[in-house]
């Protein structure tokens, strides 16, 4: 999979060279490229923002650098078969990013992620991007961040770990929170007693049927307690 990210703070993404994703980049499973939006500006100050039409606080990202960036990146498909890219703009006004969204994006061959800053990107950029690929405005949750970088990193990590070969043991992807609409059960490791707290007996029993039943009950119980909205969906 090829992922092109456009940001005015490319060094935000340095952390994606670490751990499993870093390894996937080194082995070529994920071709992640971070681009500086200012490279598509034409003036001496490398300007990416301007005042909003209609007035109001803050600045808006200018459409011209975004247009040039998208033109260049959308035509850099990883393969003939890949077709048009999926162009993602992190936005608090977008659809909420879920595990199902991550699974959907993990099927794509080319993702372009455009990180907004200030009051956001000139609205016409989204319309124009739709002529180059499928556009998705995606929110990390119902709160406002300073920029799209943190949201982009969260999405890249959630999508990246679903790409075959990124996580060493694919079985560990199956029994996770949100994979079957429930939260995961609690996990324990050695020692069996720590600071007077014992691991539940059933996990030491060797009875795989009983362990599976206990874990399922745990999943339902904690989902009901912590995220009842998931049970009513
Ligand atoms: N004025 C915008 C609004 O009210 O919808 C918020 C702009 S925010 C300060 C700047 C950028 O941060 C956005 O363009 C977006 O890229 C990113 N951002 C902020 N909150 C986000 C969220 N919850 N999910 C994804 N991206 C977010």
């Amino acid at each position: 999979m090829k992922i092109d990210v456009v940001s005015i703070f490319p060094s935000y993404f340095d952390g994606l060279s670490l751990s499993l994703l870093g390894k996937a980049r080194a082995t070529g499973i994920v071709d992640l490229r971070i681009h500086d939006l200012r490279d598509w500006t034409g003036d001496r100050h490398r300007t990416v923002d301007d005042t909003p039409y209609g007035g109001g606080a803050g600045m808006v990202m200018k459409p011209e650098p975004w247009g040039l960036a998208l033109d260049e990146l959308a035509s850099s498909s990883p393969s003939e078969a890949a077709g048009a890219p999926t162009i993602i703009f992190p936005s608090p006004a977008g659809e909420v990013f879920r595990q199902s969204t991550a699974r959907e994006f993990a099927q794509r061959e080319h993702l372009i992620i455009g990180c907004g800053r200030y009051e956001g990107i000139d609205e016409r950029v989204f319309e124009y991007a739709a002529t180059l690929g499928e556009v998705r405005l995606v929110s990390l949750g119902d709160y406002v961040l300073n920029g799209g970088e943190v949201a982009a990193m969260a999405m890249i990590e959630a999508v990246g770990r679903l790409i075959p070969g990124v996580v060493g043991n694919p079985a560990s992807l199956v029994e996770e929170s949100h994979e079957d609409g429930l939260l995961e059960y609690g996990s324990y490791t050695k020692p069996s007693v720590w600071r007077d707290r014992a691991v539940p007996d059933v996990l030491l029993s060797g009875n795989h049927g009983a362990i599976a039943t206990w874990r399922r009950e745990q999943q339902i119980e904690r989902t009901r307690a912590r995220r009842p909205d998931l049970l009513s969906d």
Side-chain angles (χ1 to χ4, degrees):
M1 173 190 280
K2 181 165 185 254
I3 307 176
D4 286 298
V5 180
V6 183
S7 161
I8 58 167
F9 294 116
S11 51
Y12 247 97
F13 296 88
D14 290 353
L16 296 180
S17 303
L18 305 172
S19 187
L20 294 178
L21 213 57
K23 216 189 266 179
R25 292 177 76 180
T27 55
I29 299 175
V30 177
D31 178 7
L32 174 63
R33 301 181 192 201
I34 313 298
H35 309 272
D36 188 342
L37 179 67
R38 295 188 197 277
D39 290 345
W40 284 284
T41 55
D43 64 312
R44 197 159 54 92
H45 300 292
R46 293 163 48 95
T47 310
V48 292
D49 60 320
D50 209 332
T51 51
Y53 275 119
M59 301 293 270
V60 176
M61 292 192 111
K62 290 163 68 62
E64 300 96 322
W66 279 109
L68 294 172
L70 293 171
D71 286 343
E72 186 174 328
L73 298 176
S75 62
S76 70
S77 234
S79 72
E80 287 268 306
T86 298
I87 306 172
I88 301 163
F89 292 101
S91 165
E95 60 178 299
V96 176
F97 185 71
R98 300 183 187 286
Q99 186 67 12
S100 55
T101 328
R103 271 198 297 266
E104 197 190 334
F105 291 163
Q107 304 298 318
R108 306 286 201 270
E109 287 202 43
H110 188 195
L111 303 179
I112 298 173
I113 307 180
C115 302
R117 279 271 153 181
Y118 316 115
E119 287 308 314
I121 302 172
D122 186 304
E123 196 68 22
R124 292 166 293 181
V125 172
F126 309 129
E127 289 167 30
Y128 177 70
T131 67
L132 303 173
E134 182 202 7
V135 172
R136 301 284 286 267
L137 269 67
V138 184
S139 170
L140 213 56
D142 294 340
Y143 42 82
V144 178
L145 303 165
N146 288 333
E149 287 76 11
V150 167
M153 287 173 75
M155 289 189 241
I156 292 166
E157 187 147 314
V159 169
R161 66 199 302 280
L162 297 175
I163 297 169
V166 173
V167 171
N169 179 3
S172 65
L173 295 176
V174 179
E175 288 190 14
E176 284 189 307
S177 295
H178 305 296
E179 273 303 325
D180 61 358
L182 297 173
L183 304 181
E184 197 188 40
Y185 48 80
S187 299
Y188 300 84
T189 186
K190 297 175 191 67
S192 59
V193 179
W194 174 75
R195 298 193 179 186
D196 296 332
R197 288 164 173 79
V199 167
D201 286 341
V202 64
L203 297 179
L204 308 174
S205 70
N207 181 338
H208 297 296
I211 292 171
T213 304
W214 180 85
R215 285 180 167 167
R216 191 72 187 164
E217 286 165 3
Q218 275 262 307
Q219 283 189 280
I220 295 166
E221 210 172 286
R222 61 171 49 187
T223 306
R224 189 175 294 128
R226 298 177 190 174
R227 291 291 305 277
D229 56 305
L230 294 178
L231 294 173
S232 58
D233 276 354

Coordinates of all heavy atoms in Angstrom, one line a residue, residues 43-110:
D43 N 5.6 31.4 -3.6 CA 6.1 32.7 -3.2 C 7.3 32.6 -2.2 O 7.6 31.5 -1.7 CB 5.0 33.5 -2.5 CG 4.5 32.8 -1.2 OD1 4.3 31.6 -1.3 OD2 4.4 33.5 -0.2
R44 N 8.0 33.7 -2.0 CA 9.2 33.7 -1.2 C 8.9 33.2 0.3 O 9.7 32.6 0.9 CB 9.7 35.1 -1.2 CG 11.1 35.3 -0.7 CD 11.7 36.6 -1.2 NE 10.9 37.8 -0.8 CZ 11.0 38.5 0.3 NH1 12.0 38.2 1.1 NH2 10.2 39.5 0.5
H45 N 7.7 33.5 0.8 CA 7.4 33.2 2.2 C 6.7 31.8 2.3 O 6.4 31.4 3.4 CB 6.4 34.2 2.8 CG 7.0 35.6 2.8 ND1 8.1 35.9 3.6 CD2 6.7 36.7 2.1 CE1 8.4 37.2 3.4 NE2 7.6 37.7 2.4
R46 N 6.6 31.1 1.1 CA 6.0 29.8 1.1 C 4.6 29.8 1.9 O 4.3 29.0 2.8 CB 6.9 28.8 1.7 CG 8.2 28.6 0.8 CD 9.4 27.9 1.5 NE 9.2 26.7 2.2 CZ 9.4 25.5 1.7 NH1 9.6 25.3 0.5 NH2 9.3 24.4 2.5
T47 N 3.8 30.7 1.5 CA 2.5 31.0 2.2 C 1.5 29.9 1.9 O 1.2 29.5 0.8 CB 1.9 32.3 1.7 OG1 3.0 33.3 1.8 CG2 0.7 32.7 2.6
V48 N 0.9 29.4 3.0 CA -0.2 28.3 2.8 C -1.5 28.8 3.4 O -2.5 28.1 3.3 CB 0.2 27.0 3.5 CG1 1.4 26.3 2.8 CG2 0.5 27.2 5.0
D49 N -1.6 30.0 4.0 CA -2.9 30.4 4.6 C -3.2 31.9 4.2 O -2.3 32.6 3.8 CB -2.8 30.3 6.1 CG -1.7 31.1 6.7 OD1 -0.6 31.2 6.1 OD2 -1.9 31.7 7.8
D50 N -4.5 32.2 4.4 CA -4.9 33.6 4.1 C -6.2 33.9 5.0 O -6.7 32.9 5.6 CB -5.2 33.8 2.6 CG -4.9 35.2 2.2 OD1 -5.1 36.2 3.0 OD2 -4.6 35.4 1.0
T51 N -6.6 35.1 5.0 CA -7.8 35.5 5.8 C -9.1 34.9 5.2 O -9.2 34.7 4.0 CB -7.9 37.0 5.9 OG1 -7.8 37.5 4.6 CG2 -6.8 37.6 6.7
P52 N -10.1 34.6 6.1 CA -11.3 34.1 5.5 C -12.2 35.1 4.9 O -12.4 36.2 5.4 CB -12.0 33.5 6.8 CG -11.4 34.3 7.9 CD -10.1 34.8 7.5
Y53 N -12.8 34.7 3.7 CA -13.9 35.5 3.1 C -15.0 35.5 4.1 O -15.3 34.5 4.7 CB -14.3 34.9 1.8 CG -13.5 35.3 0.6 CD1 -12.8 34.4 -0.1 CD2 -13.4 36.7 0.2 CE1 -12.0 34.8 -1.2 CE2 -12.6 37.1 -0.8 CZ -11.9 36.1 -1.6 OH -11.1 36.5 -2.6
G54 N -15.7 36.7 4.2 CA -16.8 36.8 5.1 C -16.4 37.2 6.5 O -17.3 37.3 7.4
G55 N -15.1 37.2 6.8 CA -14.6 37.6 8.1 C -14.6 36.5 9.1 O -14.9 35.3 8.7
G56 N -14.2 36.8 10.3 CA -14.2 35.7 11.3 C -12.7 35.5 11.8 O -11.8 36.0 11.2
A57 N -12.6 34.8 12.9 CA -11.3 34.6 13.5 C -10.5 33.5 12.7 O -11.1 32.7 12.0 CB -11.5 34.1 14.9
G58 N -9.2 33.7 12.8 CA -8.3 32.6 12.3 C -8.1 32.7 10.8 O -8.6 33.6 10.1
M59 N -7.2 31.8 10.3 CA -6.8 31.8 8.9 C -7.3 30.5 8.2 O -7.6 29.5 8.9 CB -5.3 31.9 8.8 CG -4.7 33.1 9.5 SD -5.1 34.6 8.6 CE -3.7 34.7 7.4
V60 N -7.3 30.6 6.9 CA -7.8 29.4 6.2 C -6.7 28.9 5.2 O -6.0 29.8 4.7 CB -9.1 29.8 5.3 CG1 -9.5 28.6 4.5 CG2 -10.2 30.2 6.3
M61 N -6.6 27.6 5.0 CA -5.5 27.2 4.1 C -5.9 27.4 2.7 O -7.0 27.1 2.2 CB -5.3 25.7 4.3 CG -4.6 25.4 5.7 SD -4.0 23.7 5.8 CE -2.3 24.0 5.9
K62 N -5.0 28.0 1.9 CA -5.2 28.5 0.6 C -5.4 27.3 -0.4 O -4.7 26.2 -0.2 CB -4.0 29.3 0.0 CG -3.9 30.6 0.7 CD -2.5 31.2 0.5 CE -2.2 31.5 -1.0 NZ -3.1 32.6 -1.5
P63 N -6.2 27.4 -1.4 CA -6.4 26.2 -2.3 C -5.3 25.9 -3.2 O -5.1 24.7 -3.5 CB -7.7 26.6 -3.0 CG -7.8 28.1 -3.0 CD -7.1 28.5 -1.7
E64 N -4.5 26.9 -3.6 CA -3.5 26.7 -4.7 C -2.5 25.6 -4.4 O -2.3 24.7 -5.2 CB -2.8 28.0 -5.1 CG -3.7 29.1 -5.7 CD -4.1 30.1 -4.6 OE1 -4.3 29.6 -3.4 OE2 -4.2 31.3 -4.9
P65 N -1.8 25.7 -3.2 CA -0.8 24.6 -2.9 C -1.5 23.2 -2.8 O -0.9 22.3 -3.3 CB -0.2 25.0 -1.5 CG -0.6 26.5 -1.3 CD -1.9 26.7 -2.1
W66 N -2.7 23.2 -2.3 CA -3.4 21.9 -2.1 C -3.7 21.3 -3.5 O -3.5 20.1 -3.8 CB -4.7 22.1 -1.3 CG -4.4 22.0 0.2 CD1 -4.5 23.1 1.0 CD2 -4.0 20.9 0.9 NE1 -4.1 22.7 2.3 CE2 -3.8 21.4 2.3 CE3 -3.7 19.6 0.6 CZ2 -3.4 20.6 3.3 CZ3 -3.2 18.8 1.7 CH2 -3.1 19.2 3.0
G67 N -4.1 22.2 -4.4 CA -4.4 21.7 -5.8 C -3.2 21.1 -6.5 O -3.3 20.0 -7.0
L68 N -2.1 21.8 -6.3 CA -0.8 21.3 -7.0 C -0.4 20.0 -6.3 O 0.0 19.1 -7.0 CB 0.3 22.4 -6.9 CG 0.0 23.6 -7.7 CD1 1.1 24.7 -7.4 CD2 0.0 23.3 -9.2
A69 N -0.5 20.0 -5.0 CA -0.1 18.7 -4.3 C -0.9 17.6 -4.7 O -0.4 16.5 -5.0 CB -0.2 19.0 -2.8
L70 N -2.2 17.8 -4.7 CA -3.1 16.7 -5.1 C -2.9 16.2 -6.5 O -3.0 15.0 -6.8 CB -4.6 17.1 -4.8 CG -5.0 17.3 -3.3 CD1 -6.3 17.9 -3.2 CD2 -4.9 16.0 -2.6
D71 N -2.7 17.2 -7.4 CA -2.5 16.8 -8.9 C -1.3 15.9 -8.9 O -1.4 14.8 -9.6 CB -2.2 18.1 -9.7 CG -3.4 18.9 -10.0 OD1 -4.5 18.4 -9.8 OD2 -3.2 20.1 -10.3
E72 N -0.2 16.3 -8.3 CA 1.0 15.5 -8.4 C 0.9 14.1 -7.7 O 1.2 13.1 -8.3 CB 2.2 16.2 -7.7 CG 3.5 15.5 -7.9 CD 4.7 16.4 -7.4 OE1 4.6 17.6 -7.5 OE2 5.7 15.8 -7.0
L73 N 0.3 14.1 -6.5 CA 0.2 12.8 -5.8 C -0.8 11.9 -6.3 O -0.6 10.7 -6.4 CB 0.0 13.1 -4.3 CG 1.1 13.9 -3.6 CD1 0.7 14.3 -2.2 CD2 2.4 13.2 -3.6
A74 N -1.9 12.4 -6.8 CA -3.0 11.5 -7.4 C -2.5 10.8 -8.6 O -3.0 9.8 -9.0 CB -4.2 12.3 -7.7
S75 N -1.5 11.5 -9.3 CA -1.0 10.8 -10.5 C 0.2 9.9 -10.3 O 0.8 9.4 -11.2 CB -0.6 11.9 -11.6 OG 0.4 12.7 -11.1
S76 N 0.5 9.7 -9.0 CA 1.6 8.9 -8.6 C 1.1 7.5 -8.0 O 1.6 7.1 -7.0 CB 2.5 9.6 -7.6 OG 1.8 9.6 -6.3
S77 N 0.2 7.0 -8.7 CA -0.4 5.7 -8.3 C 0.7 4.6 -8.1 O 1.7 4.6 -8.9 CB -1.3 5.2 -9.4 OG -2.6 5.0 -8.8
P78 N 0.6 3.7 -7.2 CA 1.6 2.7 -7.0 C 1.6 1.7 -8.1 O 2.6 1.0 -8.3 CB 1.2 2.0 -5.7 CG -0.2 2.4 -5.4 CD -0.5 3.7 -6.1
S79 N 0.5 1.5 -8.8 CA 0.4 0.5 -9.9 C -0.7 0.9 -10.9 O -1.6 1.7 -10.5 CB 0.2 -0.9 -9.4 OG -1.1 -1.0 -8.9
E80 N -0.6 0.4 -12.1 CA -1.7 0.6 -13.1 C -3.0 0.2 -12.5 O -4.0 0.8 -12.7 CB -1.4 -0.3 -14.3 CG -0.2 0.2 -15.2 CD -0.7 1.2 -16.3 OE1 -1.6 0.7 -17.0 OE2 -0.2 2.3 -16.3
A81 N -3.0 -1.0 -11.8 CA -4.3 -1.6 -11.3 C -4.9 -0.8 -10.2 O -6.0 -1.0 -9.8 CB -4.0 -3.0 -10.9
A82 N -4.1 0.1 -9.5 CA -4.5 0.7 -8.3 C -5.7 1.6 -8.5 O -6.6 1.8 -7.7 CB -3.4 1.5 -7.7
G83 N -5.8 2.2 -9.7 CA -6.9 3.1 -10.0 C -6.8 4.4 -9.2 O -5.7 4.8 -8.8
A84 N -7.9 5.1 -9.0 CA -7.9 6.4 -8.4 C -7.6 6.2 -6.9 O -8.1 5.2 -6.3 CB -9.3 7.1 -8.6
P85 N -6.9 7.2 -6.3 CA -6.7 7.1 -4.9 C -7.9 7.4 -4.0 O -8.8 8.0 -4.4 CB -5.6 8.2 -4.7 CG -5.9 9.2 -5.7 CD -6.4 8.4 -6.9
T86 N -7.8 7.0 -2.7 CA -8.7 7.5 -1.7 C -8.1 8.7 -1.0 O -6.9 8.5 -0.5 CB -9.0 6.3 -0.7 OG1 -9.6 5.3 -1.4 CG2 -10.0 6.8 0.4
I87 N -8.7 9.8 -1.1 CA -8.1 11.0 -0.5 C -8.9 11.4 0.8 O -10.1 11.7 0.8 CB -8.3 12.2 -1.5 CG1 -7.7 11.8 -2.9 CG2 -7.6 13.4 -1.0 CD1 -7.9 12.8 -4.0
I88 N -8.1 11.3 1.9 CA -8.7 11.5 3.2 C -8.3 12.8 3.8 O -7.1 13.2 3.8 CB -8.2 10.3 4.2 CG1 -8.5 9.0 3.6 CG2 -8.7 10.5 5.6 CD1 -7.7 7.8 4.2
F89 N -9.3 13.6 4.3 CA -9.0 14.8 5.0 C -9.5 14.7 6.4 O -10.7 14.6 6.6 CB -9.7 16.0 4.3 CG -9.2 16.3 2.9 CD1 -9.9 15.9 1.8 CD2 -8.0 17.1 2.8 CE1 -9.4 16.2 0.5 CE2 -7.6 17.4 1.5 CZ -8.3 17.0 0.4
P90 N -8.5 14.6 7.4 CA -9.0 14.6 8.8 C -9.8 15.8 9.1 O -9.3 16.9 8.7 CB -7.7 14.6 9.6 CG -6.6 14.1 8.6 CD -7.1 14.5 7.3
S91 N -10.9 15.7 9.7 CA -11.8 16.9 10.0 C -12.7 16.6 11.1 O -13.3 15.5 11.1 CB -12.6 17.2 8.7 OG -13.6 18.1 9.1
P92 N -12.9 17.5 12.1 CA -13.8 17.2 13.1 C -15.3 17.2 12.6 O -16.2 16.8 13.3 CB -13.6 18.4 14.1 CG -13.0 19.5 13.3 CD -12.2 18.8 12.2
A93 N -15.4 17.7 11.4 CA -16.8 17.7 10.8 C -17.0 16.6 9.8 O -17.9 16.6 8.9 CB -17.0 19.1 10.0
G94 N -16.2 15.5 10.0 CA -16.3 14.4 9.1 C -17.0 13.2 9.7 O -17.4 13.3 10.9
E95 N -17.1 12.1 9.0 CA -17.6 10.8 9.5 C -16.6 10.3 10.6 O -15.4 10.6 10.5 CB -17.7 9.7 8.4 CG -16.4 9.4 7.8 CD -16.4 8.3 6.7 OE1 -16.8 7.2 7.0 OE2 -16.0 8.7 5.6
V96 N -17.1 9.6 11.6 CA -16.2 9.2 12.7 C -15.4 8.0 12.3 O -16.0 7.0 11.6 CB -17.0 8.9 14.0 CG1 -16.1 8.3 15.1 CG2 -17.7 10.1 14.5
F97 N -14.1 8.0 12.5 CA -13.2 6.9 12.2 C -13.5 5.7 13.1 O -13.4 5.9 14.3 CB -11.8 7.4 12.3 CG -10.8 6.4 11.8 CD1 -10.6 6.1 10.5 CD2 -9.9 5.8 12.7 CE1 -9.7 5.1 10.0 CE2 -9.0 4.9 12.3 CZ -8.8 4.6 11.0
R98 N -13.8 4.6 12.6 CA -14.0 3.4 13.4 C -13.1 2.2 12.8 O -12.5 2.3 11.8 CB -15.5 2.9 13.2 CG -16.5 4.0 13.7 CD -17.9 3.5 13.6 NE -18.8 4.5 13.9 CZ -19.1 5.0 15.1 NH1 -18.4 4.5 16.2 NH2 -19.9 6.0 15.3
Q99 N -13.2 1.1 13.6 CA -12.4 -0.1 13.1 C -12.9 -0.5 11.7 O -12.1 -0.9 10.9 CB -12.6 -1.2 14.1 CG -11.7 -2.4 13.9 CD -10.2 -2.2 14.0 OE1 -9.8 -1.1 14.6 NE2 -9.4 -3.1 13.6
S100 N -14.2 -0.4 11.5 CA -14.7 -0.7 10.1 C -14.1 0.2 9.1 O -13.9 -0.2 7.9 CB -16.2 -0.7 10.1 OG -16.7 0.5 10.6
T101 N -13.9 1.5 9.4 CA -13.3 2.4 8.4 C -11.9 2.0 8.2 O -11.4 2.0 7.0 CB -13.3 3.9 9.0 OG1 -14.4 4.1 9.8 CG2 -13.2 4.9 7.9
A102 N -11.2 1.6 9.3 CA -9.8 1.2 9.1 C -9.7 -0.1 8.2 O -8.9 -0.1 7.3 CB -9.2 0.8 10.5
R103 N -10.6 -1.0 8.4 CA -10.7 -2.2 7.6 C -10.9 -1.8 6.1 O -10.3 -2.4 5.2 CB -11.7 -3.2 8.1 CG -11.3 -4.1 9.1 CD -12.2 -5.3 9.2 NE -13.5 -4.9 9.7 CZ -13.9 -4.9 10.9 NH1 -13.2 -5.3 11.9 NH2 -15.1 -4.5 11.2
E104 N -11.8 -0.9 5.9 CA -12.1 -0.5 4.5 C -10.9 0.2 3.9 O -10.5 -0.2 2.8 CB -13.3 0.6 4.6 CG -14.0 0.9 3.3 CD -14.9 2.1 3.5 OE1 -15.4 2.3 4.6 OE2 -15.2 2.7 2.5
F105 N -10.2 1.1 4.6 CA -9.0 1.8 4.0 C -7.9 0.8 3.8 O -7.1 1.0 2.9 CB -8.6 2.9 4.9 CG -9.5 4.1 5.0 CD1 -9.4 5.0 6.0 CD2 -10.5 4.3 4.0 CE1 -10.3 6.1 6.0 CE2 -11.4 5.4 4.0 CZ -11.3 6.3 5.0
A106 N -7.8 -0.3 4.6 CA -6.7 -1.2 4.5 C -6.8 -2.0 3.2 O -5.9 -2.6 2.8 CB -6.7 -2.2 5.7
Q107 N -8.0 -2.0 2.5 CA -8.2 -2.7 1.2 C -7.7 -1.8 0.1 O -7.5 -2.3 -1.0 CB -9.7 -3.0 1.0 CG -10.4 -3.8 2.0 CD -9.8 -5.1 2.2 OE1 -9.5 -5.8 1.2 NE2 -9.6 -5.6 3.4
R108 N -7.4 -0.5 0.3 CA -7.1 0.4 -0.8 C -5.6 0.2 -1.1 O -4.8 -0.1 -0.2 CB -7.4 1.8 -0.4 CG -8.8 2.1 0.1 CD -9.7 2.0 -1.1 NE -11.0 2.7 -0.8 CZ -12.1 2.2 -0.3 NH1 -12.1 0.9 0.0 NH2 -13.1 2.9 -0.1
E109 N -5.2 0.6 -2.3 CA -3.8 0.5 -2.7 C -3.1 1.9 -2.5 O -1.9 1.9 -2.4 CB -3.7 0.1 -4.2 CG -4.0 -1.4 -4.3 CD -3.4 -2.0 -5.6 OE1 -2.2 -1.7 -5.9 OE2 -4.1 -2.7 -6.2
H110 N -3.9 3.0 -2.6 CA -3.3 4.3 -2.5 C -4.1 5.2 -1.7 O -5.2 5.6 -2.1 CB -3.1 4.8 -4.0 CG -2.3 6.1 -4.0 ND1 -2.2 6.9 -5.1 CD2 -1.5 6.7 -3.1 CE1 -1.4 8.0 -4.9 NE2 -0.9 7.8 -3.6

